[in-house]
Amino acid sequence: MSNCIFCKIVNSEIDAYIVGENKHAIAFLDVNPISNGHTLVIPKKHTCDLNTCDKESLMGVFQLVQDVSRNIEASKLKPWGINYLSNQGNTAGQEVLHFHVHIIPKYAKNKGFYFRADKDETDDLKYVQSLIK
Ligand code: AMP
């Protein structure tokens, strides 16, 4: 897509710090990193999110997530752990409408990215299961 910033990276129209690539996906450093090594993995073919992603691209993306994750773990960065994240939809915080998975190395318990989940009133699990299944 011509006005998509991530498509421009795929097409080498703008620079990025590329850290990995395969036939269907590319990985590059997030320009506003949460921590050292914060990487985005995207399909080369434009698609909005995980739900619209074709199977080949999806396989390529997650293979590359694993490859980059292993490289980060084996590197001198030496993270304590790694968080994987994908925001889907505006309310969930998706800013760039080209599917991407964040790889966010973790170096300390209360620094960088941390998952905070508020407990909420929910319908019973059996009912929710019936809605999804
Ligand atoms: P999200 O909120 O999940 O859509 O995240 C989009 C991410 O893309 C943000 O963390 C941005 O810092 C990052 N980003 C936006 N433009 C670029 C770019 N040109 N190169 C690298 N990362 C980018």
Side-chain angles (χ1 to χ4, degrees), residues 50-65:
L50 183 139
N51 287 359
T52 58
C53 193
D54 67 86
K55 197 172 174 182
E56 273 192 329
S57 297
L58 199 61
M59 303 289 272
V61 164
F62 279 100
Q63 183 57 66
L64 193 53
V65 167

Side-chain angles (χ1 to χ4, degrees), residues 5-6 9 14-16 28-34 38 40 85-87 93-98 100 102:
I5 189 106
F6 287 176
I9 291 174
I14 62 168
D15 289 334
F28 51 91
L29 297 181
D30 193 302
V31 78
N32 294 305
I34 291 174
H38 180 180
L40 302 173
L85 171 77
S86 188
N87 299 318
Q94 184 177 11
E95 285 172 11
V96 179
L97 299 180
H98 182 131
H100 51 282
H102 294 256

Side-chain angles (χ1 to χ4, degrees), residues 28 46 50 83 92 99 125 129:
F28 51 91
H46 182 87
L50 183 139
N83 290 105
F99 173 47
L125 296 184
Q129 180 190 32

